[in-house]
PDB file of all heavy atoms in Angstrom:
ATOM      1  N   PRO M   1       2.214   2.974  13.531  1.00 75.00           N
ATOM      2  CA  PRO M   1       1.370   4.168  13.588  1.00 75.00           C
ATOM      3  C   PRO M   1       2.017   5.344  12.805  1.00 75.00           C
ATOM      4  O   PRO M   1       3.173   5.585  13.005  1.00 75.00           O
ATOM      5  CB  PRO M   1       1.224   4.412  15.091  1.00 75.00           C
ATOM      6  CG  PRO M   1       1.468   3.113  15.756  1.00 75.00           C
ATOM      7  CD  PRO M   1       2.526   2.386  14.901  1.00 75.00           C
ATOM      8  N   GLY M   2       1.246   6.012  12.032  1.00 80.00           N
ATOM      9  CA  GLY M   2       1.750   7.105  11.235  1.00 80.00           C
ATOM     10  C   GLY M   2       2.301   6.739   9.925  1.00 80.00           C
ATOM     11  O   GLY M   2       2.749   7.580   9.143  1.00 80.00           O
ATOM     12  N   ASN M   3       2.303   5.442   9.621  1.00 84.00           N
ATOM     13  CA  ASN M   3       2.825   4.972   8.327  1.00 84.00           C
ATOM     14  C   ASN M   3       1.768   4.854   7.255  1.00 84.00           C
ATOM     15  O   ASN M   3       2.118   4.489   6.054  1.00 84.00           O
ATOM     16  CB  ASN M   3       3.521   3.645   8.483  1.00 84.00           C
ATOM     17  CG  ASN M   3       4.925   3.782   9.082  1.00 84.00           C
ATOM     18  OD1 ASN M   3       5.323   4.884   9.474  1.00 84.00           O
ATOM     19  ND2 ASN M   3       5.609   2.630   9.256  1.00 84.00           N
ATOM     20  N   SER M   4       0.539   5.102   7.514  1.00 86.00           N
ATOM     21  CA  SER M   4      -0.516   5.065   6.523  1.00 86.00           C
ATOM     22  C   SER M   4      -0.155   6.035   5.404  1.00 86.00           C
ATOM     23  O   SER M   4       0.174   7.209   5.630  1.00 86.00           O
ATOM     24  CB  SER M   4      -1.890   5.444   7.110  1.00 86.00           C
ATOM     25  OG  SER M   4      -2.351   4.458   7.939  1.00 86.00           O
ATOM     26  N   GLY M   5      -0.287   5.543   4.166  1.00 91.00           N
ATOM     27  CA  GLY M   5      -0.008   6.401   3.005  1.00 91.00           C
ATOM     28  C   GLY M   5       1.414   6.210   2.480  1.00 91.00           C
ATOM     29  O   GLY M   5       1.698   6.715   1.440  1.00 91.00           O
ATOM     30  N   GLY M   6       2.228   5.509   3.219  1.00 92.00           N
ATOM     31  CA  GLY M   6       3.622   5.209   2.752  1.00 92.00           C
ATOM     32  C   GLY M   6       3.610   4.173   1.753  1.00 92.00           C
ATOM     33  O   GLY M   6       2.638   3.449   1.554  1.00 92.00           O
ATOM     34  N   PRO M   7       4.775   3.933   1.112  1.00 94.00           N
ATOM     35  CA  PRO M   7       4.886   2.917   0.041  1.00 94.00           C
ATOM     36  C   PRO M   7       5.192   1.499   0.612  1.00 94.00           C
ATOM     37  O   PRO M   7       5.908   1.339   1.539  1.00 94.00           O
ATOM     38  CB  PRO M   7       6.058   3.464  -0.765  1.00 94.00           C
ATOM     39  CG  PRO M   7       6.963   4.082   0.221  1.00 94.00           C
ATOM     40  CD  PRO M   7       5.993   4.753   1.239  1.00 94.00           C
ATOM     41  N   LEU M   8       4.617   0.554  -0.081  1.00 94.00           N
ATOM     42  CA  LEU M   8       5.067  -0.867   0.040  1.00 94.00           C
ATOM     43  C   LEU M   8       5.896  -1.146  -1.171  1.00 94.00           C
ATOM     44  O   LEU M   8       5.408  -0.981  -2.325  1.00 94.00           O
ATOM     45  CB  LEU M   8       3.866  -1.801   0.127  1.00 94.00           C
ATOM     46  CG  LEU M   8       4.122  -3.248   0.335  1.00 94.00           C
ATOM     47  CD1 LEU M   8       4.590  -3.503   1.832  1.00 94.00           C
ATOM     48  CD2 LEU M   8       2.859  -4.113   0.034  1.00 94.00           C
ATOM     49  N   VAL M   9       7.111  -1.572  -1.009  1.00 94.00           N
ATOM     50  CA  VAL M   9       8.025  -1.695  -2.126  1.00 94.00           C
ATOM     51  C   VAL M   9       8.547  -3.177  -2.211  1.00 94.00           C
ATOM     52  O   VAL M   9       8.507  -3.935  -1.255  1.00 94.00           O
ATOM     53  CB  VAL M   9       9.230  -0.749  -2.061  1.00 94.00           C
ATOM     54  CG1 VAL M   9       8.751   0.676  -1.921  1.00 94.00           C
ATOM     55  CG2 VAL M   9      10.135  -1.109  -0.874  1.00 94.00           C
ATOM     56  N   ASN M  10       9.051  -3.511  -3.448  1.00 93.00           N
ATOM     57  CA  ASN M  10       9.656  -4.822  -3.619  1.00 93.00           C
ATOM     58  C   ASN M  10      11.147  -4.661  -3.412  1.00 93.00           C
ATOM     59  O   ASN M  10      11.711  -3.678  -3.025  1.00 93.00           O
ATOM     60  CB  ASN M  10       9.347  -5.389  -4.982  1.00 93.00           C
ATOM     61  CG  ASN M  10       9.801  -4.483  -6.170  1.00 93.00           C
ATOM     62  OD1 ASN M  10      10.664  -3.660  -6.004  1.00 93.00           O
ATOM     63  ND2 ASN M  10       9.152  -4.700  -7.282  1.00 93.00           N
ATOM     64  N   SER M  11      11.861  -5.799  -3.678  1.00 89.00           N
ATOM     65  CA  SER M  11      13.296  -5.851  -3.388  1.00 89.00           C
ATOM     66  C   SER M  11      14.092  -4.896  -4.318  1.00 89.00           C
ATOM     67  O   SER M  11      15.226  -4.530  -4.076  1.00 89.00           O
ATOM     68  CB  SER M  11      13.863  -7.246  -3.535  1.00 89.00           C
ATOM     69  OG  SER M  11      13.565  -7.787  -4.814  1.00 89.00           O
ATOM     70  N   ARG M  12      13.495  -4.496  -5.451  1.00 91.00           N
ATOM     71  CA  ARG M  12      14.144  -3.627  -6.441  1.00 91.00           C
ATOM     72  C   ARG M  12      13.882  -2.110  -6.092  1.00 91.00           C
ATOM     73  O   ARG M  12      14.315  -1.231  -6.778  1.00 91.00           O
ATOM     74  CB  ARG M  12      13.645  -3.872  -7.833  1.00 91.00           C
ATOM     75  CG  ARG M  12      14.054  -5.245  -8.342  1.00 91.00           C
ATOM     76  CD  ARG M  12      13.802  -5.473  -9.806  1.00 91.00           C
ATOM     77  NE  ARG M  12      12.354  -5.342 -10.097  1.00 91.00           N
ATOM     78  CZ  ARG M  12      11.473  -6.360 -10.001  1.00 91.00           C
ATOM     79  NH1 ARG M  12      11.885  -7.585  -9.637  1.00 91.00           N
ATOM     80  NH2 ARG M  12      10.203  -6.220 -10.252  1.00 91.00           N
ATOM     81  N   GLY M  13      13.126  -1.879  -4.985  1.00 91.00           N
ATOM     82  CA  GLY M  13      12.826  -0.561  -4.588  1.00 91.00           C
ATOM     83  C   GLY M  13      11.729   0.087  -5.425  1.00 91.00           C
ATOM     84  O   GLY M  13      11.537   1.289  -5.474  1.00 91.00           O
ATOM     85  N   GLU M  14      10.859  -0.727  -6.098  1.00 93.00           N
ATOM     86  CA  GLU M  14       9.698  -0.285  -6.843  1.00 93.00           C
ATOM     87  C   GLU M  14       8.499  -0.313  -5.958  1.00 93.00           C
ATOM     88  O   GLU M  14       8.320  -1.337  -5.191  1.00 93.00           O
ATOM     89  CB  GLU M  14       9.518  -1.115  -8.102  1.00 93.00           C
ATOM     90  CG  GLU M  14      10.698  -1.116  -9.062  1.00 93.00           C
ATOM     91  CD  GLU M  14      10.605  -2.163 -10.130  1.00 93.00           C
ATOM     92  OE1 GLU M  14       9.892  -3.179  -9.893  1.00 93.00           O
ATOM     93  OE2 GLU M  14      11.171  -2.016 -11.180  1.00 93.00           O
ATOM     94  N   VAL M  15       7.654   0.679  -6.024  1.00 94.00           N
ATOM     95  CA  VAL M  15       6.437   0.734  -5.190  1.00 94.00           C
ATOM     96  C   VAL M  15       5.422  -0.244  -5.798  1.00 94.00           C
ATOM     97  O   VAL M  15       5.077  -0.157  -7.003  1.00 94.00           O
ATOM     98  CB  VAL M  15       5.829   2.111  -5.135  1.00 94.00           C
ATOM     99  CG1 VAL M  15       4.600   2.121  -4.320  1.00 94.00           C
ATOM    100  CG2 VAL M  15       6.854   3.078  -4.547  1.00 94.00           C
ATOM    101  N   ILE M  16       4.910  -1.191  -4.976  1.00 93.00           N
ATOM    102  CA  ILE M  16       3.935  -2.119  -5.446  1.00 93.00           C
ATOM    103  C   ILE M  16       2.597  -1.895  -4.765  1.00 93.00           C
ATOM    104  O   ILE M  16       1.568  -2.524  -5.112  1.00 93.00           O
ATOM    105  CB  ILE M  16       4.411  -3.558  -5.237  1.00 93.00           C
ATOM    106  CG1 ILE M  16       4.757  -3.817  -3.699  1.00 93.00           C
ATOM    107  CG2 ILE M  16       5.578  -3.920  -6.112  1.00 93.00           C
ATOM    108  CD1 ILE M  16       5.103  -5.311  -3.377  1.00 93.00           C
ATOM    109  N   GLY M  17       2.576  -1.018  -3.720  1.00 93.00           N
ATOM    110  CA  GLY M  17       1.292  -0.767  -3.036  1.00 93.00           C
ATOM    111  C   GLY M  17       1.402   0.441  -2.166  1.00 93.00           C
ATOM    112  O   GLY M  17       2.492   0.963  -1.870  1.00 93.00           O
ATOM    113  N   VAL M  18       0.231   0.966  -1.766  1.00 93.00           N
ATOM    114  CA  VAL M  18       0.115   2.076  -0.800  1.00 93.00           C
ATOM    115  C   VAL M  18      -0.466   1.546   0.482  1.00 93.00           C
ATOM    116  O   VAL M  18      -1.569   1.063   0.532  1.00 93.00           O
ATOM    117  CB  VAL M  18      -0.800   3.181  -1.402  1.00 93.00           C
ATOM    118  CG1 VAL M  18      -0.820   4.372  -0.457  1.00 93.00           C
ATOM    119  CG2 VAL M  18      -0.378   3.623  -2.752  1.00 93.00           C
ATOM    120  N   ASN M  19       0.393   1.608   1.539  1.00 92.00           N
ATOM    121  CA  ASN M  19       0.005   1.120   2.841  1.00 92.00           C
ATOM    122  C   ASN M  19      -1.238   1.847   3.322  1.00 92.00           C
ATOM    123  O   ASN M  19      -1.238   3.071   3.382  1.00 92.00           O
ATOM    124  CB  ASN M  19       1.138   1.219   3.820  1.00 92.00           C
ATOM    125  CG  ASN M  19       2.347   0.441   3.440  1.00 92.00           C
ATOM    126  OD1 ASN M  19       2.284  -0.650   2.941  1.00 92.00           O
ATOM    127  ND2 ASN M  19       3.551   0.979   3.650  1.00 92.00           N
ATOM    128  N   THR M  20      -2.244   1.094   3.767  1.00 87.00           N
ATOM    129  CA  THR M  20      -3.472   1.800   4.111  1.00 87.00           C
ATOM    130  C   THR M  20      -4.088   1.401   5.392  1.00 87.00           C
ATOM    131  O   THR M  20      -4.792   2.199   5.980  1.00 87.00           O
ATOM    132  CB  THR M  20      -4.556   1.590   2.954  1.00 87.00           C
ATOM    133  OG1 THR M  20      -5.671   2.462   3.170  1.00 87.00           O
ATOM    134  CG2 THR M  20      -5.018   0.179   2.854  1.00 87.00           C
ATOM    135  N   ALA M  21      -3.890   0.204   5.919  1.00 73.00           N
ATOM    136  CA  ALA M  21      -4.632  -0.218   7.086  1.00 73.00           C
ATOM    137  C   ALA M  21      -3.941  -1.371   7.837  1.00 73.00           C
ATOM    138  O   ALA M  21      -3.210  -2.111   7.246  1.00 73.00           O
ATOM    139  CB  ALA M  21      -6.095  -0.554   6.741  1.00 73.00           C
ATOM    140  N   ILE M  22      -4.261  -1.472   9.127  1.00 63.00           N
ATOM    141  CA  ILE M  22      -3.880  -2.565   9.941  1.00 63.00           C
ATOM    142  C   ILE M  22      -5.063  -3.078  10.731  1.00 63.00           C
ATOM    143  O   ILE M  22      -5.855  -2.189  11.165  1.00 63.00           O
ATOM    144  CB  ILE M  22      -2.698  -2.196  10.820  1.00 63.00           C
ATOM    145  CG1 ILE M  22      -2.278  -3.411  11.682  1.00 63.00           C
ATOM    146  CG2 ILE M  22      -3.050  -1.070  11.772  1.00 63.00           C
ATOM    147  CD1 ILE M  22      -0.989  -3.208  12.496  1.00 63.00           C
ATOM    148  N   ILE M  23      -5.274  -4.394  10.889  1.00 60.00           N
ATOM    149  CA  ILE M  23      -6.353  -4.858  11.695  1.00 60.00           C
ATOM    150  C   ILE M  23      -5.782  -5.127  13.075  1.00 60.00           C
ATOM    151  O   ILE M  23      -4.929  -5.990  13.324  1.00 60.00           O
ATOM    152  CB  ILE M  23      -6.891  -6.224  11.149  1.00 60.00           C
ATOM    153  CG1 ILE M  23      -7.482  -5.945   9.693  1.00 60.00           C
ATOM    154  CG2 ILE M  23      -7.914  -6.851  12.044  1.00 60.00           C
ATOM    155  CD1 ILE M  23      -8.068  -7.217   9.093  1.00 60.00           C
ATOM    156  N   LEU M  24      -6.182  -4.247  14.023  1.00 53.00           N
ATOM    157  CA  LEU M  24      -5.564  -4.237  15.361  1.00 53.00           C
ATOM    158  C   LEU M  24      -5.695  -5.563  16.140  1.00 53.00           C
ATOM    159  O   LEU M  24      -4.740  -6.042  16.739  1.00 53.00           O
ATOM    160  CB  LEU M  24      -6.107  -3.070  16.168  1.00 53.00           C
ATOM    161  CG  LEU M  24      -5.746  -1.637  15.621  1.00 53.00           C
ATOM    162  CD1 LEU M  24      -6.391  -0.638  16.488  1.00 53.00           C
ATOM    163  CD2 LEU M  24      -4.232  -1.485  15.614  1.00 53.00           C
ATOM    164  N   PRO M  25      -6.911  -6.216  16.125  1.00 55.00           N
ATOM    165  CA  PRO M  25      -7.002  -7.495  16.867  1.00 55.00           C
ATOM    166  C   PRO M  25      -6.111  -8.597  16.272  1.00 55.00           C
ATOM    167  O   PRO M  25      -5.825  -9.553  16.975  1.00 55.00           O
ATOM    168  CB  PRO M  25      -8.483  -7.813  16.822  1.00 55.00           C
ATOM    169  CG  PRO M  25      -9.143  -6.588  16.396  1.00 55.00           C
ATOM    170  CD  PRO M  25      -8.165  -5.815  15.539  1.00 55.00           C
ATOM    171  N   ALA M  26      -5.788  -8.500  15.007  1.00 52.00           N
ATOM    172  CA  ALA M  26      -5.034  -9.574  14.334  1.00 52.00           C
ATOM    173  C   ALA M  26      -3.629  -9.089  14.140  1.00 52.00           C
ATOM    174  O   ALA M  26      -3.341  -8.253  13.231  1.00 52.00           O
ATOM    175  CB  ALA M  26      -5.680  -9.924  13.004  1.00 52.00           C
ATOM    176  N   GLN M  27      -2.683  -9.534  14.980  1.00 58.00           N
ATOM    177  CA  GLN M  27      -1.326  -9.046  14.936  1.00 58.00           C
ATOM    178  C   GLN M  27      -0.679  -9.329  13.530  1.00 58.00           C
ATOM    179  O   GLN M  27      -0.741 -10.459  13.102  1.00 58.00           O
ATOM    180  CB  GLN M  27      -0.546  -9.679  16.065  1.00 58.00           C
ATOM    181  CG  GLN M  27      -1.020  -9.360  17.465  1.00 58.00           C
ATOM    182  CD  GLN M  27      -0.900  -7.862  17.770  1.00 58.00           C
ATOM    183  OE1 GLN M  27       0.047  -7.236  17.344  1.00 58.00           O
ATOM    184  NE2 GLN M  27      -1.907  -7.291  18.410  1.00 58.00           N
ATOM    185  N   GLY M  28      -0.031  -8.334  12.985  1.00 64.00           N
ATOM    186  CA  GLY M  28       0.740  -8.528  11.897  1.00 64.00           C
ATOM    187  C   GLY M  28      -0.003  -8.659  10.552  1.00 64.00           C
ATOM    188  O   GLY M  28       0.603  -9.049   9.544  1.00 64.00           O
ATOM    189  N   ILE M  29      -1.228  -8.304  10.499  1.00 75.00           N
ATOM    190  CA  ILE M  29      -2.013  -8.364   9.258  1.00 75.00           C
ATOM    191  C   ILE M  29      -2.167  -6.948   8.763  1.00 75.00           C
ATOM    192  O   ILE M  29      -2.883  -6.187   9.342  1.00 75.00           O
ATOM    193  CB  ILE M  29      -3.341  -9.095   9.353  1.00 75.00           C
ATOM    194  CG1 ILE M  29      -3.169 -10.513   9.843  1.00 75.00           C
ATOM    195  CG2 ILE M  29      -4.117  -9.015   8.045  1.00 75.00           C
ATOM    196  CD1 ILE M  29      -4.420 -11.290   9.977  1.00 75.00           C
ATOM    197  N   CYS M  30      -1.550  -6.579   7.672  1.00 84.00           N
ATOM    198  CA  CYS M  30      -1.621  -5.246   7.135  1.00 84.00           C
ATOM    199  C   CYS M  30      -2.056  -5.254   5.664  1.00 84.00           C
ATOM    200  O   CYS M  30      -1.894  -6.369   4.985  1.00 84.00           O
ATOM    201  CB  CYS M  30      -0.258  -4.526   7.256  1.00 84.00           C
ATOM    202  SG  CYS M  30       0.391  -4.513   8.944  1.00 84.00           S
ATOM    203  N   PHE M  31      -2.510  -4.169   5.175  1.00 89.00           N
ATOM    204  CA  PHE M  31      -3.081  -4.124   3.810  1.00 89.00           C
ATOM    205  C   PHE M  31      -2.545  -2.899   3.053  1.00 89.00           C
ATOM    206  O   PHE M  31      -2.163  -1.894   3.631  1.00 89.00           O
ATOM    207  CB  PHE M  31      -4.592  -4.036   3.871  1.00 89.00           C
ATOM    208  CG  PHE M  31      -5.249  -5.201   4.466  1.00 89.00           C
ATOM    209  CD1 PHE M  31      -5.609  -5.243   5.822  1.00 89.00           C
ATOM    210  CD2 PHE M  31      -5.550  -6.340   3.695  1.00 89.00           C
ATOM    211  CE1 PHE M  31      -6.150  -6.356   6.354  1.00 89.00           C
ATOM    212  CE2 PHE M  31      -6.072  -7.468   4.252  1.00 89.00           C
ATOM    213  CZ  PHE M  31      -6.477  -7.488   5.588  1.00 89.00           C
ATOM    214  N   ALA M  32      -2.421  -3.104   1.756  1.00 91.00           N
ATOM    215  CA  ALA M  32      -1.891  -2.090   0.895  1.00 91.00           C
ATOM    216  C   ALA M  32      -2.755  -2.081  -0.435  1.00 91.00           C
ATOM    217  O   ALA M  32      -3.114  -3.095  -0.924  1.00 91.00           O
ATOM    218  CB  ALA M  32      -0.451  -2.239   0.596  1.00 91.00           C
ATOM    219  N   ILE M  33      -2.984  -0.886  -0.979  1.00 92.00           N
ATOM    220  CA  ILE M  33      -3.729  -0.786  -2.229  1.00 92.00           C
ATOM    221  C   ILE M  33      -2.749  -1.047  -3.300  1.00 92.00           C
ATOM    222  O   ILE M  33      -1.668  -0.405  -3.376  1.00 92.00           O
ATOM    223  CB  ILE M  33      -4.315   0.637  -2.349  1.00 92.00           C
ATOM    224  CG1 ILE M  33      -5.366   0.902  -1.196  1.00 92.00           C
ATOM    225  CG2 ILE M  33      -5.057   0.798  -3.714  1.00 92.00           C
ATOM    226  CD1 ILE M  33      -5.703   2.333  -1.015  1.00 92.00           C
ATOM    227  N   ALA M  34      -3.107  -1.865  -4.269  1.00 91.00           N
ATOM    228  CA  ALA M  34      -2.206  -2.202  -5.389  1.00 91.00           C
ATOM    229  C   ALA M  34      -1.806  -0.976  -6.177  1.00 91.00           C
ATOM    230  O   ALA M  34      -2.647  -0.127  -6.433  1.00 91.00           O
ATOM    231  CB  ALA M  34      -2.825  -3.269  -6.238  1.00 91.00           C
ATOM    232  N   ILE M  35      -0.532  -0.900  -6.571  1.00 93.00           N
ATOM    233  CA  ILE M  35      -0.047   0.278  -7.164  1.00 93.00           C
ATOM    234  C   ILE M  35      -0.687   0.535  -8.558  1.00 93.00           C
ATOM    235  O   ILE M  35      -0.838   1.679  -8.931  1.00 93.00           O
ATOM    236  CB  ILE M  35       1.539   0.284  -7.254  1.00 93.00           C
ATOM    237  CG1 ILE M  35       2.075   1.694  -7.613  1.00 93.00           C
ATOM    238  CG2 ILE M  35       1.918  -0.723  -8.352  1.00 93.00           C
ATOM    239  CD1 ILE M  35       1.704   2.756  -6.584  1.00 93.00           C
ATOM    240  N   ASN M  36      -1.086  -0.485  -9.263  1.00 90.00           N
ATOM    241  CA  ASN M  36      -1.773  -0.241 -10.589  1.00 90.00           C
ATOM    242  C   ASN M  36      -3.053   0.496 -10.372  1.00 90.00           C
ATOM    243  O   ASN M  36      -3.405   1.365 -11.132  1.00 90.00           O
ATOM    244  CB  ASN M  36      -2.025  -1.616 -11.309  1.00 90.00           C
ATOM    245  CG  ASN M  36      -0.735  -2.150 -11.823  1.00 90.00           C
ATOM    246  OD1 ASN M  36       0.357  -1.668 -11.566  1.00 90.00           O
ATOM    247  ND2 ASN M  36      -0.851  -3.194 -12.671  1.00 90.00           N
ATOM    248  N   SER M  37      -3.798   0.121  -9.308  1.00 88.00           N
ATOM    249  CA  SER M  37      -5.034   0.879  -8.997  1.00 88.00           C
ATOM    250  C   SER M  37      -4.726   2.306  -8.584  1.00 88.00           C
ATOM    251  O   SER M  37      -5.375   3.274  -8.963  1.00 88.00           O
ATOM    252  CB  SER M  37      -5.775   0.211  -7.897  1.00 88.00           C
ATOM    253  OG  SER M  37      -6.229  -1.074  -8.267  1.00 88.00           O
ATOM    254  N   ALA M  38      -3.612   2.468  -7.813  1.00 92.00           N
ATOM    255  CA  ALA M  38      -3.226   3.802  -7.341  1.00 92.00           C
ATOM    256  C   ALA M  38      -2.807   4.682  -8.529  1.00 92.00           C
ATOM    257  O   ALA M  38      -3.093   5.883  -8.522  1.00 92.00           O
ATOM    258  CB  ALA M  38      -2.118   3.707  -6.293  1.00 92.00           C
ATOM    259  N   LYS M  39      -2.051   4.099  -9.463  1.00 92.00           N
ATOM    260  CA  LYS M  39      -1.695   4.887 -10.677  1.00 92.00           C
ATOM    261  C   LYS M  39      -2.894   5.409 -11.449  1.00 92.00           C
ATOM    262  O   LYS M  39      -2.906   6.573 -11.890  1.00 92.00           O
ATOM    263  CB  LYS M  39      -0.753   4.097 -11.569  1.00 92.00           C
ATOM    264  CG  LYS M  39       0.642   3.872 -11.019  1.00 92.00           C
ATOM    265  CD  LYS M  39       1.636   3.216 -12.022  1.00 92.00           C
ATOM    266  CE  LYS M  39       1.347   1.722 -12.142  1.00 92.00           C
ATOM    267  NZ  LYS M  39       2.431   1.068 -12.923  1.00 92.00           N
ATOM    268  N   LEU M  40      -3.871   4.556 -11.552  1.00 87.00           N
ATOM    269  CA  LEU M  40      -5.104   4.907 -12.354  1.00 87.00           C
ATOM    270  C   LEU M  40      -5.788   5.986 -11.624  1.00 87.00           C
ATOM    271  O   LEU M  40      -6.158   7.024 -12.165  1.00 87.00           O
ATOM    272  CB  LEU M  40      -5.981   3.632 -12.467  1.00 87.00           C
ATOM    273  CG  LEU M  40      -7.353   3.915 -13.119  1.00 87.00           C
ATOM    274  CD1 LEU M  40      -7.147   4.274 -14.576  1.00 87.00           C
ATOM    275  CD2 LEU M  40      -8.185   2.584 -13.021  1.00 87.00           C
ATOM    276  N   VAL M  41      -6.017   5.881 -10.317  1.00 88.00           N
ATOM    277  CA  VAL M  41      -6.719   6.885  -9.480  1.00 88.00           C
ATOM    278  C   VAL M  41      -5.949   8.238  -9.473  1.00 88.00           C
ATOM    279  O   VAL M  41      -6.491   9.321  -9.646  1.00 88.00           O
ATOM    280  CB  VAL M  41      -7.012   6.399  -8.100  1.00 88.00           C
ATOM    281  CG1 VAL M  41      -7.542   7.480  -7.157  1.00 88.00           C
ATOM    282  CG2 VAL M  41      -8.005   5.214  -8.079  1.00 88.00           C
ATOM    283  N   ALA M  42      -4.622   8.127  -9.221  1.00 92.00           N
ATOM    284  CA  ALA M  42      -3.825   9.315  -9.106  1.00 92.00           C
ATOM    285  C   ALA M  42      -3.819  10.071 -10.471  1.00 92.00           C
ATOM    286  O   ALA M  42      -3.844  11.315 -10.455  1.00 92.00           O
ATOM    287  CB  ALA M  42      -2.386   8.978  -8.728  1.00 92.00           C
ATOM    288  N   GLY M  43      -3.837   9.368 -11.561  1.00 91.00           N
ATOM    289  CA  GLY M  43      -3.858  10.048 -12.839  1.00 91.00           C
ATOM    290  C   GLY M  43      -5.128  10.935 -13.017  1.00 91.00           C
ATOM    291  O   GLY M  43      -5.092  12.018 -13.524  1.00 91.00           O
ATOM    292  N   HIS M  44      -6.282  10.323 -12.654  1.00 87.00           N
ATOM    293  CA  HIS M  44      -7.533  11.072 -12.740  1.00 87.00           C
ATOM    294  C   HIS M  44      -7.563  12.259 -11.791  1.00 87.00           C
ATOM    295  O   HIS M  44      -8.004  13.287 -12.091  1.00 87.00           O
ATOM    296  CB  HIS M  44      -8.713  10.108 -12.452  1.00 87.00           C
ATOM    297  CG  HIS M  44      -9.060   9.201 -13.582  1.00 87.00           C
ATOM    298  ND1 HIS M  44      -9.586   9.708 -14.796  1.00 87.00           N
ATOM    299  CD2 HIS M  44      -8.920   7.900 -13.738  1.00 87.00           C
ATOM    300  CE1 HIS M  44      -9.816   8.686 -15.570  1.00 87.00           C
ATOM    301  NE2 HIS M  44      -9.412   7.568 -15.002  1.00 87.00           N
ATOM    302  N   LEU M  45      -6.993  12.046 -10.542  1.00 92.00           N
ATOM    303  CA  LEU M  45      -6.982  13.133  -9.558  1.00 92.00           C
ATOM    304  C   LEU M  45      -6.112  14.214 -10.028  1.00 92.00           C
ATOM    305  O   LEU M  45      -6.462  15.451  -9.859  1.00 92.00           O
ATOM    306  CB  LEU M  45      -6.500  12.583  -8.220  1.00 92.00           C
ATOM    307  CG  LEU M  45      -7.435  11.608  -7.428  1.00 92.00           C
ATOM    308  CD1 LEU M  45      -6.776  11.165  -6.172  1.00 92.00           C
ATOM    309  CD2 LEU M  45      -8.851  12.173  -7.252  1.00 92.00           C
TER     310      LEU M  45
END
């Protein structure tokens, strides 16, 4: 809880996604927006 919007990173410390949601009834299933999509959107914003 409270981690929405944080980075999902690889072993090199590079951001590969933006943590966005968890499905509560399904334990351990989380989702992140791919960083390529985030870079595109952030550039326009």
